[in-house]
Amino acid sequence: MSNSITASHNGYTTTLNVCREHIDDACAMLNAVHGMLNSFAEQYIDVNAETFARRAAVSQGQYARAFNTAMESLYDAVQLLSTAKALAVGADLIATNAISSTSDDE
């Protein structure tokens, strides 16, 4: 009876799935930030100076919240991508060890 290690039993598949989830979540955050900043630009930046001044006078708090939210989301996206990178390295190590173990058994 062989105790062979397969992708489904050594953590490789699970590690890659979590890695993909982190990448998907980071992409969703980046898309949300892009949409928010794009909308902000359309309503507040891509206007003439008089309109901008009028809107800026009453919307400074909204500007601050929008950019704070964008910065926090970008930071979170970077953290997710850093974790995904570490998971990818871990998956590579699992695969390398599985291949090494298989060749050692032969």
Side-chain angles (χ1 to χ4, degrees):
M1 179 176 216
S2 173
N3 288 335
S4 65
I5 297 174
T6 63
S8 61
H9 292 97
N10 66 1
Y12 178 78
T13 302
T14 303
T15 302
L16 282 181
N17 286 340
V18 174
C19 179
R20 287 184 193 103
E21 289 171 359
H22 277 63
I23 292 169
D24 288 345
D25 292 347
C27 288
M29 283 183 185
L30 293 174
N31 283 328
V33 169
H34 176 265
M36 181 185 69
L37 293 177
N38 190 46
S39 176
F40 177 82
E42 287 177 4
Q43 300 301 316
Y44 291 96
I45 306 300
D46 295 339
V47 295
N48 63 39
E50 182 181 323
T51 302
F52 177 80
R54 184 180 70 246
R55 290 179 183 173
V58 295
S59 301
Q60 184 176 5
Q62 290 174 327
Y63 295 166
R65 282 189 298 280
F67 284 99
N68 284 336
T69 299
M71 291 301 122
E72 289 172 9
S73 294
L74 291 173
Y75 177 79
D76 291 343
V78 168
Q79 295 305 309
L80 284 167
L81 291 172
S82 294
T83 301
K85 182 178 179 182
L87 288 164
V89 169
D92 185 49
L93 290 172
I94 291 169
T96 301
N97 284 336
I99 292 168
S100 177
S101 294
T102 302
S103 64
D104 289 346
D105 290 343
E106 295 174 359

